[in-house]
Amino acid sequence: MSMRVPAPARMLLMLACAIVSPHAPAAAADAAAVPMPAAPTVAAAPTPRGPCRPNPLGTRQLYLRGDFNQWAAEDSRALYWNCSRFEGVVTLEGSTRFKFGDDGWAADADFGAGALDSTLLAPKGPELRREFHGTYRMLLDMADSMTTPNLLVQACPAQAGPTPTLFLRGAMTGWSALDDYAFQYSCDAWYLNVTLTGRTEFKVADIGWLPASTYGAKGGLGDVAANVPFHLSTGDVANLAFEFKGEHTLRLAFPGGMPTLGIGPLTWANPRQERVSDPVALSLRHDSRAASDKSPFGAMPAGTEAGFVLHGGPGVAEAWLVLESRLLTGNQDLLEYREIARLPMTRSGSGDDLAWHASHRFDAKGVYGYWFLVRVGAQWFAYQNNRDVVPWTREKGSNGVGAVDALGAPAGFATAPLALGSVSPATVRRYRLTVYDPAFEVPSWARDAIFYYIFPDRFRNGDPSNDPKPGVTRYHDKTVELHNDWNQLPFKPHSGDGSDDLYSNDFFGGDIAGIIEKLDYIADLGANTLYITPLFRASSNHKYDTADYHQVDPGFGSNADFARLASEAAKRGIRLLPDVSLNHVGADSLYFDRYGNFGGQGAFANGRINPASPYADWFSFDATQSEPDRQYRGWVGVKGLPELDKSSASFRRFAYGDADSVMLHWLDQGAAGWRMDVAPWVPDDFWREWRTAIRAHKPDALLVSEAWFDASKFLLGDMFDATMNYIFRNVVLDYAAGGDAQASYPSLELVREAYPPQSLHTAMNLLSGHDVARTLHVLGWKPEVVDPAAIALAKQRLRLAMFFQLSYPGAPAIFYGDEVGVTGGDDPYNRGTYPWADRGGKPDLALLADVKALLAMRKAHPVLSHGSLDAPLLLDAHRIVLLRRDGAAWAVTATNNAQVATTVRITLPADAPASFRDALTGEMHAVGADHVLEFAVPALFGTALVAD
């Protein structure tokens, strides 16, 4: 559905004047003025521009200057070049004399009134006078003349629409809220400029995905047409899609309260897009991964003194190292830095090769940011992190080589920069630095973990007698669905598959008995740790809506079955890592009991607040509301998942504090640790107490967080050992799909630098999962693809991705069925069943054999798990070559995402072995003269050379 927008008014503001220039003699400034006869036009969307031209002022800025600010050139009243015009939004009040000029009133940048009753301005023309009351968009259109621009003044209406900052969130951002994709309010609507190519799916949402400020399409994928406003909906909405073709402006408006999105050619001047041209500023350089620039490398234990070096040419008047500590809570919805030090840097060197030095001792663990404040003449610059987008992570910058940006000249900087003044913390891209507890240790077994990742309802049905029964098994106040065909697709409501209208209530019958039945298969595959999504009693098929933390779900078996699974797995050298959420429970649970299925003892039994419940203080209620849905808070607005009050002392005792608490009970039943759901929504002090309790009970328990973004704050030694590495997933799948390795690999370099080494080597490196589309789907095997060659290509790309996964530091996680060619898009199709041959499935046994060989390679060569990791020996668009060392063991791994084979030629350190062996084929490769090693890498695959 589209909506027409009223055409803008055509009348231009007619400006007549008889006022002289502000830098004329003072007596002339009192001359009389002719009143302005016309009103401004009503602001509307910027119109498409004519042919683009370079900024006629070069790097100089144009400003609205007048008696309202003593004729100063202020950033708040700057006009920005937009292809063929200068454009800016300003707020003015009262009778105003003004002109347009650059910082120095240069002859070619001093525009005043032209002919009487004309909107054309003239070089060095007299002042203009007008009565202003509010906010206005001013445009100096130079399409017809570069010396006599046409002035258009548009009155901006009162702001209408949402108050939270909204972001374009989609495939281009890893669905994260990135500052470069934030809409900016400008006069009449929210605008965003992007440069994108290809059909892309997205939504518009705030940082926290709140339903009231998440905008998309109702009833299915919404195709946005160019230059046609699209009517948006909020809440539970589908993605939008657009075929991008380069530069575009997105315009989000709320006419009559109706959210509409328009996408068209580039029409809006973004005031944040100015770039630095000063040659001295551009000579600045710092590489956080270079030993010459920062020492020691990467994350470091508290108590370490670190040295920082900034390089540059002559002309720098002074340089300061700014150090800040970060507060990051929630799912990145609050991002704050607090300055802890601003250190003057000492210059060394001579000629064109100069360096500025500073050092600081970091005594407290935490996540820190640093950047450099530099003065060149009267101008201040920030040398800061680069503009790389890190998957899922709000903060931009992958560390390494940074970038310089202008800061203006805030008051107070000229003599002693004691305050940031007008510099907004949100505009600074800090280098990230992790300082962890010197006593931080992870379980010794964790660096050798290879996870087999199971969604239990879909893996194997070993006991049909416990299958959920339609009409008998309750799903809230309704019932469940049971698939009669194991190989059927999962149901999706409103998709036409014949299912009911309920989500997550369809079951296949997978259970613990089925997992036990296939433990030998898992061991033979090469995995040694089971990560299983929740097994505890719950209404849904995914079980994140916990109903009883102390009971295995009857559809999966019994508590005794859990203990038997742990015991049988241990006999095969396999550990068990269960999953659970301590952030929310199910509305249909013992603790909440909204539907009265648990005896009425819940805190919201039968849809009413129950102060007598033993769980009453686990939740926050608002008794002033009459509607049940408004009386409690559902996690991210989902009323089926009541959010727990994690500050409740009784809940903390129940969860981990008491001797028979949930966490400790299941450790006693054989769990080897925990994977904790939605970790960012739980307070840090909760996790600190939680870790202390678990480690006191089971010192070698592995503690893994679900955090999709840069998880440094969780890896300081006081909360988690490792995290699910979704950054790794995005980088590897982008690379395996044919993406430019030079563009994506820096995000892995950030992880290498930001995570403590022990956490890097235990990160859960997944490719597929129950919350994301399967790898084969991402790499090209979608439902509409039936061409055998296209399917074979997708499978070869999967082999490449798994080669990288199984030759890289961290704990690989194989999502059940990936190893035999299971594909599927977003939930629920990523949660399809394993295609067991004895249940009518068709597993790809050739792919299975290849995956087993890769797992065997990793297990046979511990250097692939334990070995150090440095910057790539070779990184180009298609190839990534890494050197690994573990004592006397060496490995060189190389991957190639091109569809043709390649030859790699690298120079090794002088102490490298004389020869290497191919870990898969056994072929020997001698190191030649000058320590050069040359070898072939197959198309869409990799080569691992080892020397033990």
Side-chain angles (χ1 to χ4, degrees):
M1 176 180 179
S2 63
M3 184 173 180
R4 295 189 63 188
V5 185
R10 302 295 180 186
M11 184 180 297
L12 297 177
L13 174 62
M14 305 299 291
L15 294 171
C17 57
I19 308 295
V20 299
S21 173
H23 42 282
D30 296 325
V34 178
M36 302 301 102
T41 63
V42 177
T47 56
R49 307 160 305 178
C52 284
R53 302 175 180 176
N55 184 340
L57 303 185
T59 61
R60 287 175 290 149
Q61 187 67 63
L62 192 67
Y63 302 88
L64 176 69
R65 306 178 66 170
D67 59 358
F68 48 81
N69 68 348
Q70 291 75 52
W71 300 94
E74 293 181 324
D75 289 342
S76 62
R77 293 181 174 89
L79 277 66
Y80 299 91
W81 181 249
N82 188 15
C83 190
S84 62
R85 66 192 181 211
F86 288 100
E87 179 180 334
V89 176
V90 298
T91 299
L92 296 168
E93 191 64 38
S95 178
T96 302
R97 294 184 292 128
F98 63 96
K99 292 184 68 176
F100 300 92
D102 68 357
D103 190 64
W105 292 110
D108 62 345
D110 177 356
F111 298 106
L116 190 66
D117 294 335
S118 172
T119 60
L120 293 178
L121 302 183
K124 300 188 75 66
E127 299 166 1
L128 306 161
R129 175 172 282 178
R130 147 120 224 125
E131 191 85 14
F132 290 106
H133 297 285
T135 302
Y136 301 82
R137 177 188 287 139
M138 294 198 173
L139 302 101
L140 271 66
D141 190 347
M142 310 186 83
D144 298 324
S145 172
M146 302 297 276
T147 58
T148 58
N150 194 35
L151 174 64
L152 172 64
V153 179
Q154 294 178 322
C156 299
Q159 179 172 332
T163 54
T165 300
L166 296 176
F167 300 83
L168 185 71
R169 306 181 68 168
M172 75 292 287
T173 70
W175 296 96
S176 184
L178 302 180
D179 289 340
D180 271 12
Y181 287 85
F183 283 83
Q184 299 177 55
Y185 191 78
S186 178
C187 187
D188 62 327
W190 280 259
Y191 291 89
L192 172 64
N193 290 343
V194 298
T195 302
L196 298 168
T197 303
R199 182 173 170 80
T200 305
E201 292 191 19
F202 59 91
K203 289 180 181 176
V204 175
D206 66 352
I207 290 174
W209 290 108
L210 295 177
S213 47
T214 295
Y215 298 87
K218 206 70 173 177
L221 184 69
D223 275 301
V224 181
N227 303 309
V228 178
F230 187 95
H231 178 199
L232 301 174
S233 297
T234 59
D236 183 14
V237 290
N239 291 345
L240 303 165
F242 185 77
E243 186 74 29
F244 289 96
K245 298 178 180 179
E247 293 183 315
H248 296 270
T249 290
L250 284 72
R251 182 177 185 267
L252 180 65
F254 295 81
M258 185 77 69
T260 58
L261 178 69
I263 306 179
L266 194 65
T267 56
W268 177 63
N270 182 357
R272 299 179 183 172
Q273 289 181 333
E274 297 298 303
R275 292 291 185 257
V276 172
S277 60
D278 186 284
V280 176
L282 292 175
S283 73
L284 299 172
R285 181 181 173 86
H286 172 81
D287 183 348
S288 65
R289 290 190 276 271
S292 60
D293 291 5
K294 177 184 169 289
S295 181
F297 168 82
M300 56 194 185
T304 301
E305 181 165 317
F308 302 86
V309 179
L310 177 69
H311 302 273
V316 172
E318 55 183 307
W320 299 74
L321 171 66
V322 182
L323 299 172
E324 301 168 330
S325 64
R326 185 177 78 182
L327 170 68
L328 182 59
T329 61
N331 195 17
Q332 304 185 93
D333 53 359
L334 177 62
L335 180 62
E336 294 181 0
Y337 279 88
R338 178 180 60 85
E339 185 172 327
I340 60 170
R342 186 176 296 185
L343 307 175
M345 303 188 76
T346 303
R347 193 180 78 172
S348 67
S350 60
D352 293 335
D353 186 16
L354 302 177
W356 287 261
H357 306 259
S359 62
H360 181 78
R361 178 184 171 93
F362 292 87
D363 290 321
K365 64 180 183 289
V367 177
Y368 294 87
Y370 72 90
W371 54 285
F372 304 95
L373 180 62
V374 180
R375 182 167 63 86
V376 177
Q379 176 73 50
W380 286 92
F381 296 91
Y383 189 91
Q384 54 192 327
N385 211 333
N386 52 58
R387 299 179 178 87
D388 291 346
V389 174
V390 179
W392 308 109
T393 300
R394 181 182 177 191
E395 288 189 272
K396 290 189 67 176
S398 62
N399 281 16
V401 176
V404 65
D405 291 274
L407 292 178
F413 276 9
T415 55
L418 300 177
L420 284 176
S422 63
V423 180
S424 169
T427 65
V428 175
R429 299 184 305 275
R430 297 133 177 111
Y431 281 97
R432 271 96 81 192
L433 171 61
T434 304
V435 178
Y436 58 89
D437 189 332
F440 180 25
E441 293 183 355
V442 303
S444 59
W445 59 269
R447 66 179 182 174
D448 293 309
I450 298 175
F451 289 99
Y452 193 72
Y453 172 175
I454 295 176
F455 190 84
D457 181 63
R458 312 292 162 82
F459 179 63
R460 175 80 174 180
N461 188 345
D463 182 5
S465 70
N466 62 26
D467 291 355
K469 297 174 176 58
V472 177
T473 305
R474 302 276 289 177
Y475 181 80
H476 299 178
D477 56 348
K478 296 180 176 61
T479 189
V480 300
E481 298 176 294
L482 182 68
H483 292 263
N484 294 319
D485 180 357
W486 178 258
N487 296 296
Q488 190 176 23
L489 287 175
F491 288 153
K492 183 175 183 178
H494 313 295
S495 67
D497 59 12
S499 63
D500 64 24
D501 292 340
L502 303 177
Y503 286 88
S504 304
N505 74 323
D506 65 313
F507 292 82
F508 285 84
D511 50 27
I512 292 176
I515 299 173
I516 294 174
E517 189 178 312
K518 290 299 179 180
L519 284 173
D520 287 337
Y521 166 83
I522 294 167
D524 184 60
L525 179 67
N528 58 24
T529 309
L530 290 178
Y531 160 46
I532 307 178
T533 58
L535 291 165
F536 309 121
R537 185 175 179 181
S539 297
S540 70
N541 52 36
H542 56 72
K543 307 302 178 191
Y544 285 99
D545 52 334
T546 310
D548 189 337
Y549 286 105
H550 279 104
Q551 296 295 323
V552 165
D553 190 87
F556 291 159
S558 65
N559 289 10
D561 289 328
F562 180 98
R564 187 163 65 94
L565 170 61
S567 174
E568 290 297 320
K571 293 176 183 177
R572 296 162 174 82
I574 298 174
R575 290 177 170 85
L576 173 59
L577 191 79
D579 184 2
V580 74
S581 175
L582 296 179
N583 175 71
H584 52 264
V585 295
D588 190 13
S589 68
L590 174 67
Y591 318 106
F592 206 71
D593 200 15
R594 176 168 184 173
Y595 305 101
N597 294 328
F598 288 86
Q601 293 300 304
F604 201 64
N606 297 295
R608 295 182 178 86
I609 300 171
N610 180 13
S613 169
Y615 314 111
D617 73 337
W618 290 16
F619 306 93
S620 298
F621 292 106
D622 183 358
T624 66
Q625 299 291 332
S626 58
E627 296 180 32
D629 276 356
R630 294 180 178 273
Q631 292 180 339
Y632 67 94
R633 183 171 63 236
W635 177 61
V636 294
V638 178
K639 292 301 181 178
L641 300 174
E643 187 168 354
L644 291 158
D645 181 356
K646 277 76 69 174
S647 66
S648 165
S650 64
F651 176 69
R652 292 192 180 201
R653 289 193 300 270
F654 171 86
Y656 57 77
D658 291 341
D660 61 346
S661 61
V662 172
M663 296 286 103
L664 308 189
H665 171 77
W666 293 106
L667 292 174
D668 290 341
Q669 299 304 305
W674 290 98
R675 179 271 193 188
M676 300 308 297
D677 188 52
V678 296
W681 275 271
V682 177
D684 294 354
D685 71 298
F686 182 102
W687 290 132
R688 293 187 184 104
E689 291 181 2
W690 170 86
R691 177 186 180 88
T692 299
I694 291 177
R695 280 293 168 80
H697 192 77
K698 186 176 176 62
D700 70 340
L702 177 64
L703 307 177
V704 180
S705 72
E706 184 205 17
W708 292 42
F709 46 85
D710 172 4
S712 300
K713 65 162 283 188
F714 290 124
L715 307 176
L716 306 180
D718 58 356
M719 288 187 268
F720 292 91
D721 300 315
T723 191
M724 297 187 78
N725 199 348
Y726 280 94
I727 295 176
F728 174 90
R729 172 187 179 269
N730 273 54
V731 170
V732 175
L733 294 193
D734 180 77
Y735 173 64
D740 185 345
Q742 294 174 107
S744 59
Y745 191 81
S747 290
L748 288 188
E749 284 289 86
L750 172 67
V751 171
R752 176 174 75 92
E753 185 177 356
Y755 288 8
Q758 54 270 51
S759 294
L760 176 70
H761 282 77
T762 53
M764 187 186 287
N765 289 344
L766 72 160
L767 298 176
S768 299
H770 71 278
D771 285 326
V772 290
R774 283 188 179 261
T775 300
L776 275 176
H777 181 91
V778 175
L779 297 180
W781 189 9
K782 297 175 171 62
E784 66 273 16
V785 175
V786 295
D787 177 19
I791 294 171
L793 177 60
K795 289 184 176 181
Q796 187 56 43
R797 292 189 185 280
L798 169 65
R799 289 179 174 91
L800 167 61
M802 295 187 78
F803 180 96
F804 193 99
Q805 177 190 36
L806 292 165
S807 61
Y808 192 81
I814 311 298
F815 193 42
Y816 74 100
D818 269 15
E819 74 274 20
V820 291
V822 174
T823 188
D826 293 328
D827 178 18
Y829 302 119
N830 54 343
R831 303 174 182 183
T833 55
Y834 186 106
W836 299 108
D838 64 349
R839 303 294 167 88
K842 297 180 180 179
D844 185 334
L845 299 181
L847 179 60
L848 175 62
D850 290 342
V851 174
K852 289 173 67 173
L854 290 175
L855 284 161
M857 173 189 76
R858 184 177 183 89
K859 296 184 76 172
H861 302 288
V863 64
L864 298 178
S865 301
H866 302 177
S868 60
L869 180 68
D870 296 316
L873 292 176
L874 172 64
L875 176 65
D876 59 23
H878 298 294
R879 300 176 297 178
I880 304 171
V881 182
L882 304 174
L883 176 65
R884 310 288 307 285
R885 299 180 67 171
D886 181 30
W890 291 60
V892 174
T893 65
T895 51
N896 172 27
N897 75 350
Q899 297 192 46
V900 294
T902 187
T903 297
V904 164
R905 181 182 172 88
I906 54 172
T907 301
L908 296 175
D911 58 340
S915 63
F916 286 78
R917 175 171 52 86
D918 191 306
L920 288 175
T921 68
E923 181 183 357
M924 297 301 298
H925 296 266
V927 177
D930 298 323
H931 313 292
V932 172
L933 177 63
E934 185 173 316
F935 58 96
V937 186
L940 294 172
F941 200 55
T943 298
L945 304 181
V946 296
D948 299 323

